[in-house]
Amino acid sequence: EKGNHRHFMQKEIFEQPIVVAQTLKSYLRRIDDCVSMPDMEFDLAGFDRVSIVACGTSSYVAMIGKYWIEKFARVPVETDVASEFRYRDPVLGKNQLAIFISQSGETADTLAALKHCKAAGLKTAGIINVPTSSMAREVDLLLPTHAGPEIGVASTKAFTCQLAVMAAFATRIARAKGVLSAAEEKDIVHHLSEAPEAMNFALGHDEDIEAMAHKIAEARDVLYLGRGPDYPMALEGALKLKEISYIHAEGYASGEMKHGPIALIDDHVPLIVIAPSGPLFDKTVSNMQEAQARGAQVVLISDADGIAKAGEGTIATIEMPKVHPLIAPLVYAIPVQLLAYHVAVAKGTDVDQPRNLAKSVTVE
Ligand code: M6R
């Protein structure tokens, strides 16, 4: 039931600190600050390549997972949307682990890709929310998310729970590979366990975001920019906005702006910039300023330092707590979801059941 909430999507956005904490609880062992995983019949140290396959919002977790696994475990990762994976006849090797991400566990393309990898003799792991689903039964290693049933067609809490599991898995692979020290693992466990509180803080901006949503609701096109793991977050922001508000939206890697999309910019195009302060911040801000110089209406999502440095000339800023880069995607997902939600409500669309969409896509 929706409880006090107007829509399931809103309820599910607000549940995130609790369900992410619940999910983390089953992967983080706080007595010795280690990542703990279900027993597996294979040795993670034996893999020298990883493929991650998923669709839609789950595919953005795959992209963020690529940054994490490559950074922590130094294992090369390729990601594919499931509908492309089989048809490019991917080169599959024995020492390759295939990871599948799905809320429903029933998405036809992802399930077909999983069967394809199994037939090729690969070991498979699944980050899946529905424990009784077809994919949950097929994978060699099931890494469940504990988001609970997700009713809104737009995925929210499943996304952040998938990120939590992905972060834990990347850490586990890195430890198995011997490239992460026990002290570094401890540090990661600490940061991850801080995520639910930071997410709660982010939810505190609900009303500010609602107030600015009316302006965005008038736009015909909206662009999202981010760099590093914030690039998939920009893609997620754009997908969320288009699927529930029907406003045309695109996400771009910040550095790609000047390779084409900047031609779209005028003073009617809101530009949502996702940029926590850190090593990538100045570069993203310089891309943002190029767009601002051409009239872009910038909404900057950053922390206090970032906003102090670059908030001038924006139409709005949304201040996130200062967090470790590893948990930033879990926290920054919240303003991105709330913005899409409030814009859709302002436009009067059917938020939980947007037109033409199904919760689970069981045909190719
Ligand atoms: O159940 P799955 O995670 O496999 O679903 C994948 C996509 O269909 C899903 O994430 C879709 O993109 C959502 N509507 C996004 O909000």
Side-chain angles (χ1 to χ4, degrees), residues 4 32 42 57 61 87 237 306 354:
N4 296 332
D32 51 1
F42 46 80
T57 287
V61 176
Y87 303 114

Side-chain angles (χ1 to χ4, degrees), residues 153 173 233-234:
V153 162
I173 298 171
M233 195 56 73

Side-chain angles (χ1 to χ4, degrees), residues 44 50 69 73 75 97 99 168-178:
L44 290 173
V50 174
I69 296 172
V75 178
L97 171 67
I99 306 176
F169 197 30
T171 309
R172 184 72 184 72
I173 298 171
R175 281 292 280 155
K177 284 277 182 191

Side-chain angles (χ1 to χ4, degrees), residues 55-58 101-105 107 110 135 153-155 162 239-240 243 358-359 361:
C55 294
T57 287
S58 300
I101 309 174
S102 179
Q103 187 287 126
S104 61
T107 301
T110 312
M135 280 182 230
V153 162
S155 184
Q162 288 166 347
L239 177 64
K240 213 95 296 172
E243 75 178 322
K359 180 64 185 159
V361 181

Side-chain angles (χ1 to χ4, degrees), residues 145-156:
T145 44
H146 301 291
E150 192 180 61
I151 309 293
V153 162
S155 184
T156 53

Side-chain angles (χ1 to χ4, degrees), residues 25-46:
K25 208 170 149 199
S26 66
Y27 291 92
L28 306 183
R29 208 170 50 209
R30 291 314 305 271
I31 328 162
D32 51 1
D33 286 333
C34 279
V35 168
S36 77
M37 292 261 140
D39 289 339
M40 47 190 106
E41 47 168 87
F42 46 80
D43 180 8
L44 290 173

